Amino acid sequence: MRRRAGLGAIQQQQLETQKYKDKGSLIEDSQFVQMTKHMEIFREKLEEFAVKHKQDIRKNAQFRRQFQEMCAAIGVDPLASGKGFWSVLGMGDFYYELGVQVVEVCLASNPSTGGIMELSELRRKLIAARGQKSIHQEITEDDILIAAKKLKIFGNGFVVYPVGKGKYMVQSIPGELSREESSILGVASNQEQGSVTVDLLMKQLGWTEFRTQQAIDKIVGEGLAWVDCPDSNSAPTYWFPSLFPGRKDT
Amino acid sequence: MNRFEYQQAKLAEDEQFVSKDKAIKLYDGDEKTAYEDGEVVLTTHRLFWGRPGEIARGSTTLCLQLQYIVGLDEEVASSFVFGKKKRLILNLRPLLPGKLPGPMENSTAHFVKLSGRHGLDPAFMQAIRGTLEARIWLIPGDASGSNASPSRENAPRIQLRTGIGGIERAIEAKQKATDDSIAIAFQDLKALMAMAQDMVSISKSISSKIRERKGEISEDETVQFKSYLMSMGIDDPVTRESFTSNTEYFKSLARQICEMILDPMEEAGGMMSLADVYCRVNRARGLELLSPEDLLNACKFLDGPIKLRTFPSGAMVLQLESQDEEIIAKEVGEKVEEAKSLSVEDLAKILGISILLSKEHLLAAERLGIVCRDESIEGLRFYPNLFLR
């Protein structure tokens, strides 16, 4: 057959190209759906095996490594001990495992929390990341408290403290490593008059009120800022003596 | 499978023997059938399948007219016992009128598969390919078919499996193969152990494909982090059982921790809290969990590029040697010198560290006589110590 020339042919060609493209993305889509399905199967099965065959997996060094590689690829947590009888007595791996997971959740969310998180929020994230099986859902806040207690021997780098009404805050970054105050100083040094308010900080840093208040209180506690409460209606202003206008020139 | 008919295993006049293979199983589409462990014989016109010896005796066997075959595909099946093997897929055209009765009258599948216990003989595969291309059954005077049908003239030419259809088919077959091997592997622990290496590569390719498309394997930031931590696996975790003395155990543990944590430490700026270390080390160890006590004890034995440090606040961290008090104090002294005087927050900003740490550094420098303080209403500032010069 002779090749057609002219506008019709060009249009025809464009149409074909388009069709190929459509077909291509269609194939890609279905492939992706399939991959997602495979991933789900993997996740489900690996979780199941981690619970059922933990001891056997541990025994075989080579397989243990392979199992770990699979878990890493799919994002499945191989640590899945149940609470069991022994853990009630503080024995067994359960609370150690939980400790690893608790720290992990904190580390993963540090960029957005600055190292301070409410216990209930921590529990929610922990459960979501542990897996879908019911054994993972049974973690209570008390379990997390016990697990955190085991980390106490690391000094006060990882602390849970009560904030009243059965609520707890978990602080996962020791003060020495916290950049929170530095961020606030950064904002403050950009203010002409050398003072900030909680509102201003929240807006500039995109933090929650709690996170902001915690950090500014620490700064005041360190004696780096002065508090000014002009009257009972307006929010306190925080002044930084080291940033007073004209300070730099002297 | 419904294209097969019962026929006597006897060559017709123009028909010639081409090739054979044994220990062959038939699949109806993707379904296994009871026709396994048989012999196949390929002639110029037909494909026979019979139980061992049946074809040689000329008994009635299963027979597929080659004219039904419109294309060939291969698929690789992984089995945990025999490793990888190839299967042959025969794509079939719709039923022609006048077909003789066969083993299966109804089938939705448009292909059958031949599978050998040890794969198929490559010579047989080659032969079937050549025979199909030759299309000898189309030559007039052909006496093979008792079911000679008028539509034979219109029989489509064998399509090479190319083009979009071929691609789709190949993708589908590959996915199906993956499906199968995942299903087999996760039947029980033994199966998974035997197929572990395959499963590792499948899991990696799945996650890399998904990353390609979505960027991450999961929206959950904890899951992303978990996956990252676990990927730094320690191959051979030090365990208590292999040591008779605690000291030896903690010493080797310390070495392993040091090796593993060095890179993350540098990334983190040279200092890391012990809770952080606990999490990372245990994730890398996988199922061989360390208790916080063991970790702490091992850290006390660290000597080398990483050391344990306890702050006055009680917080414990591991720090790189470069963060050593004296080295840092000198550096702080230089900074103070440069700026004439520094406050705690100034230094924190310059070094990009926390205020507490900055204060620690300045106080250490003060202790060593490098800087001295000036406490005023405007706060605490440090100046170069000129008294000791």
Side-chain angles (χ1 to χ4, degrees):
Chain A
M1 196 174 83
R2 263 191 59 201
R3 254 190 113 109
R4 286 196 300 157
L7 196 59
I10 293 169
Q11 278 169 348
Q12 179 72 23
Q13 212 175 3
Q14 278 171 346
L15 196 69
E16 271 172 21
T17 315
Q18 188 54 41
K19 273 187 179 163
Y20 278 127
K21 233 185 232 163
D22 289 350
K23 188 74 189 170
S25 59
L26 210 67
I27 291 178
E28 233 169 64
D29 281 347
S30 85
Q31 220 180 344
F32 179 68
V33 168
Q34 195 66 29
M35 282 288 166
T36 316
K37 227 192 282 167
H38 282 157
M39 178 128 159
E40 275 314 307
I41 300 174
F42 253 102
R43 177 172 297 147
E44 195 184 300
K45 290 291 182 184
L46 286 174
E47 276 185 22
E48 184 188 318
F49 275 55
V51 175
K52 267 207 296 207
H53 304 294
K54 180 180 170 191
Q55 293 310 324
D56 293 316
I57 295 171
R58 272 179 70 172
K59 267 186 236 154
N60 182 326
Q62 189 197 358
F63 181 64
R64 186 183 57 210
R65 208 151 48 226
Q66 289 164 331
F67 194 77
Q68 165 115 350
E69 279 184 65
M70 284 187 260
C71 286
I74 305 294
V76 169
D77 201 323
L79 301 179
S81 291
K83 218 181 292 182
F85 172 70
W86 293 105
S87 53
V88 179
L89 302 173
M91 296 159 86
D93 282 345
F94 176 71
Y95 286 112
Y96 292 154
E97 293 186 359
L98 201 55
V100 173
Q101 289 159 344
V102 165
V103 178
E104 187 175 62
V105 171
C106 292
L107 290 179
S109 46
N110 273 347
S112 58
T113 62
I116 293 182
M117 203 192 298
E118 214 182 304
L119 185 63
S120 55
E121 169 79 356
L122 172 61
R123 175 174 174 271
R124 196 184 58 68
K125 289 193 175 189
L126 181 101
I127 289 174
R130 250 175 87 99
Q132 270 117 39
K133 277 196 164 337
S134 65
I135 184 175
H136 300 309
Q137 310 299 313
E138 287 159 6
I139 309 292
T140 65
E141 293 193 359
D142 281 338
D143 289 333
I144 298 179
L145 288 178
I146 296 174
K149 212 181 258 171
K150 295 203 179 285
L151 302 177
K152 261 201 174 148
I153 64 160
F154 297 146
N156 60 0
F158 191 95
V159 202
V160 184
Y161 51 93
V163 287
K165 286 187 215 146
K167 282 194 169 175
Y168 292 88
M169 295 305 297
V170 181
Q171 188 205 318
S172 55
I173 302 182
E176 284 81 358
L177 299 184
S178 165
R179 304 276 168 83
E180 299 290 274
E181 294 81 24
S182 314
S183 309
I184 289 190
L185 285 173
V187 175
S189 63
N190 287 331
Q191 308 304 314
E192 226 168 276
Q193 73 283 25
S195 75
V196 295
T197 61
V198 169
D199 276 349
L200 176 92
L201 290 170
M202 282 168 63
K203 209 156 68 197
Q204 296 244 334
L205 295 167
W207 289 0
T208 61
E209 187 178 350
F210 183 84
R211 183 177 176 182
T212 315
Q213 193 65 54
Q214 284 278 324
I216 196 88
D217 285 352
K218 237 187 245 168
I219 289 180
V220 174
E222 280 293 313
L224 297 178
W226 297 348
V227 193
D228 177 19
C229 300
D231 56 70
S232 55
N233 293 329
S234 50
T237 318
Y238 299 88
W239 295 85
F240 294 82
S242 60
L243 298 172
F244 283 163
R247 174 72 186 76
K248 287 253 157 59
D249 310 328
T250 56
Chain B
M1 189 78 191
N2 55 349
R3 276 71 151 187
F4 277 84
E5 38 197 42
Y6 288 124
Q7 279 194 23
Q8 225 185 346
K10 256 188 186 159
L11 292 181
E13 229 176 280
D14 305 327
E15 197 177 12
Q16 271 171 17
F17 168 82
V18 179
S19 180
K20 65 171 185 171
D21 199 357
K22 50 182 192 294
I24 298 298
K25 176 156 57 175
L26 295 180
Y27 284 70
D28 174 36
D30 284 316
E31 301 299 317
K32 288 179 187 173
T33 66
Y35 303 103
E36 47 187 288
D37 241 359
E39 293 170 337
V40 282
V41 166
L42 175 71
T43 73
T44 46
H45 294 71
R46 294 176 290 178
L47 182 74
F48 291 96
W49 183 96
R51 309 253 173 227
E54 276 183 353
I55 297 178
R57 284 197 299 273
S59 328
T60 302
T61 59
L62 304 189
C63 167
L64 177 70
Q65 304 278 347
L66 293 188
Q67 55 169 321
Y68 277 110
I69 303 176
V70 292
L72 291 179
D73 271 326
E74 283 171 19
E75 106 182 338
V76 177
S78 337
S79 132
F80 63 92
V81 188
F82 304 112
K84 283 188 178 153
K85 60 178 188 180
K86 277 187 181 162
R87 291 193 191 128
L88 188 63
I89 300 173
L90 311 179
N91 294 303
L92 304 177
R93 54 187 299 200
L95 218 49
L96 297 170
K99 190 194 82 91
L100 297 177
M104 197 183 283
E105 289 311 318
N106 292 305
S107 169
T108 48
H110 294 288
F111 60 99
V112 294
K113 288 195 242 181
L114 304 186
S115 160
R117 189 185 295 159
H118 305 291
L120 287 164
D121 185 356
F124 180 78
M125 299 242 243
Q126 195 51 48
I128 197 165
R129 215 166 259 125
T131 310
L132 287 173
E133 259 162 54
R135 284 194 294 278
I136 293 170
W137 63 88
L138 288 180
I139 294 167
D142 150 31
S144 75
S146 44
N147 61 335
S149 71
S151 67
R152 179 170 302 160
E153 267 63 42
N154 308 328
R157 297 167 63 85
I158 292 179
Q159 298 158 8
L160 286 172
R161 278 283 154 184
T162 53
I164 293 177
I167 295 170
E168 274 184 302
R169 183 82 181 76
I171 291 174
E172 209 175 283
K174 216 171 133 200
Q175 281 169 351
K176 176 75 180 130
T178 312
D179 266 349
D180 286 349
S181 51
I182 293 176
I184 294 172
F186 282 104
Q187 269 168 2
D188 57 43
L189 190 66
K190 244 187 177 164
L192 184 61
M193 281 181 165
M195 291 177 72
Q197 204 46 56
D198 277 349
M199 288 300 114
V200 169
S201 25
I202 291 180
S203 67
K204 283 185 178 163
S205 91
I206 291 174
S207 88
S208 75
K209 285 251 170 61
I210 289 193
R211 265 182 239 267
E212 230 170 68
R213 178 84 176 229
K214 276 205 308 190
E216 282 298 342
I217 48 166
S218 160
E219 274 126 46
D220 191 318
E221 58 190 1
T222 312
V223 172
Q224 293 168 17
F225 191 60
K226 194 194 299 282
S227 161
Y228 159 75
L229 289 182
M230 285 197 295
S231 63
M232 324 228 164
I234 295 177
D235 279 353
D236 205 0
V238 170
T239 57
R240 191 186 275 275
E241 288 88 61
S242 38
F243 293 91
T244 45
S245 94
N246 264 350
T247 316
E248 279 310 305
Y249 166 57
F250 289 136
K251 273 188 181 159
S252 356
L253 199 53
R255 265 196 300 277
Q256 194 167 62
I257 291 171
C258 178
E259 243 168 65
M260 193 239 128
I261 211 80
L262 204 53
D263 286 346
M265 285 263 291
E266 269 165 12
E267 260 168 56
M271 214 175 262
M272 197 180 269
S273 85
L274 270 199
D276 195 338
V277 174
Y278 175 70
C279 174
R280 285 169 192 265
V281 168
N282 270 320
R283 274 308 184 203
R285 290 172 63 95
L287 288 169
E288 287 295 337
L289 228 50
L290 272 188
S291 69
E293 290 80 9
D294 280 4
L295 178 76
L296 182 58
N297 283 325
C299 286
K300 288 178 182 158
F301 281 92
L302 279 170
D303 58 346
I306 297 178
K307 284 212 179 81
L308 180 66
R309 172 170 184 185
T310 310
F311 283 110
S313 70
M316 288 187 218
V317 298
L318 291 190
Q319 66 176 20
L320 290 177
E321 220 172 14
S322 60
Q323 300 288 312
D324 214 51
E325 206 167 70
E326 284 181 29
I327 300 172
I328 288 287
K330 271 195 199 116
E331 202 185 317
V332 168
E334 282 162 24
K335 296 282 180 220
V336 173
E337 195 95 33
E338 266 171 42
K340 294 204 181 86
S341 84
L342 283 179
S343 67
V344 169
E345 53 269 42
D346 290 339
L347 183 69
K349 215 161 103 188
I350 291 171
L351 296 180
I353 55 176
S354 73
I355 287 164
L356 277 181
L357 195 58
S358 159
K359 195 171 170 189
E360 277 297 313
H361 287 346
L362 282 165
L363 291 180
E366 185 188 31
R367 261 199 309 281
L368 292 168
I370 296 170
V371 299
C372 58
R373 70 169 70 200
D374 173 28
E375 270 190 272
S376 74
I377 195 160
E378 286 176 6
L380 185 60
R381 294 192 73 78
F382 289 85
Y383 289 83
N385 186 352
L386 301 176
F387 298 111
L388 287 183
R389 292 207 184 153

